[in-house]
């Protein structure tokens, strides 16, 4: 019965597919406007609630600048959206927590890592960073790595384990 059904890659339980309206209705406090700050801390605009933006986003910021700006982070405590130039949206390391291994880890190792569902597997090295945490150092920086994303480590085609990105370094 579902063989010919269209594939869903969005939030399928949200009426009409409008997740912004869904969040505004159920958590109006999330829609509080705040400052948009550049990498020097200067206020360059206002945002309409942090939940409306994603790390690496360029379009829809509503900020005029001589160079394109990208979302580089969010400061939830200050309700500030952080933006910077393209080079500031790339990361070379991160930590992942709630890490679950599919086999016994063997210490510092070369691996592949995927941080997006359809992203390419990138060469990296991992090392322990606590009881259920790992530090991942990328061979080449990746664009728009963000806390909350999944990180899955591979040895060739074998999944070594996975966790949730907690901090981008």
């Amino acid at each position: 019965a579902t063989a010919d059904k269209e594939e869903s890659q969005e939030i399928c339980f949200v009426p009409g597919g409008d997740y912004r309206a869904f969040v505004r209705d159920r958590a109006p406090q999330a829609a509080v406007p705040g400052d948009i700050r550049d990498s020097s801390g200067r206020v360059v605009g206002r945002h309409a609630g942090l939940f409306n933006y994603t790390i690496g986003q360029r379009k829809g910021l509503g900020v005029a600048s001589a160079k394109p700006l990208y979302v580089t982070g969010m400061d939830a405590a200050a309700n500030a959206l952080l933006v910077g130039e393209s080079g500031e949206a790339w990361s070379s390391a991160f930590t992942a927590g709630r890490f679950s291994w599919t086999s016994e880890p063997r210490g510092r190792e070369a691996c592949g890592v995927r941080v997006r569902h359809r992203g390419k597997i990138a060469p990296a090295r991992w090392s322990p960073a606590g009881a259920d945490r790992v530090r991942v150092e990328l061979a080449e920086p990746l664009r728009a790595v963000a806390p909350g994303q999944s990180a899955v480590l591979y040895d060739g085609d074998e999944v070594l384990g996975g966790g949730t990105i907690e901090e981008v370094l």
Side-chain angles (χ1 to χ4, degrees), residues 20 23-34 47-53 79:
R20 288 179 175 95
V23 172
R24 275 192 305 273
D25 290 346
R26 285 162 180 77
Q29 70 279 8
V32 174
H47 68 77
L50 293 176
F51 74 95
N52 288 295
Y53 307 91
N79 191 28

Side-chain angles (χ1 to χ4, degrees), residues 19-58:
Y19 80 88
R20 288 179 175 95
F22 181 82
V23 172
R24 275 192 305 273
D25 290 346
R26 285 162 180 77
Q29 70 279 8
V32 174
D35 291 338
I36 299 176
R37 297 185 176 273
D38 68 12
S39 54
S40 68
R42 184 174 56 107
V43 175
V44 296
R46 298 281 291 166
H47 68 77
L50 293 176
F51 74 95
N52 288 295
Y53 307 91
T54 59
I55 304 295
Q57 179 178 334
R58 177 175 173 229

Side-chain angles (χ1 to χ4, degrees), residues 2-167:
T2 61
D4 295 322
K5 187 176 178 184
E6 186 176 327
E7 184 177 354
S8 172
Q9 294 186 7
E10 296 294 330
I11 304 173
C12 60
F13 63 86
V14 174
D18 186 355
Y19 80 88
R20 288 179 175 95
F22 181 82
V23 172
R24 275 192 305 273
D25 290 346
R26 285 162 180 77
Q29 70 279 8
V32 174
D35 291 338
I36 299 176
R37 297 185 176 273
D38 68 12
S39 54
S40 68
R42 184 174 56 107
V43 175
V44 296
R46 298 281 291 166
H47 68 77
L50 293 176
F51 74 95
N52 288 295
Y53 307 91
T54 59
I55 304 295
Q57 179 178 334
R58 177 175 173 229
K59 295 184 179 191
L61 300 179
V63 176
S65 175
K67 294 184 179 182
L69 294 176
Y70 299 81
V71 175
T72 58
M74 297 177 196
D75 181 344
N79 191 28
L81 185 68
L82 310 176
V83 297
E85 294 180 18
S86 178
E88 297 173 69
W90 293 77
S91 305
S92 57
F94 61 86
T95 60
R98 297 184 307 161
F99 208 86
S100 176
W101 295 97
T102 58
S103 61
E104 190 66 32
R106 298 179 298 273
R108 185 178 190 96
E109 292 193 27
C111 64
V113 64
R114 184 187 318 248
V115 297
R116 276 182 276 292
H117 169 65
R118 294 187 184 243
K120 292 182 180 178
I121 296 175
R125 293 187 72 77
W126 70 269
S127 58
D132 65 347
R133 295 179 79 225
V134 297
R135 176 185 169 100
V136 177
E137 295 183 30
L138 301 158
E140 295 182 17
L142 287 177
R143 185 177 178 282
V145 176
Q149 289 176 323
S150 293
V152 179
L153 302 185
Y154 293 85
D155 181 6
D157 290 338
E158 178 187 353
V159 174
L160 298 173
T164 303
I165 296 173
E166 295 178 337
E167 182 180 14

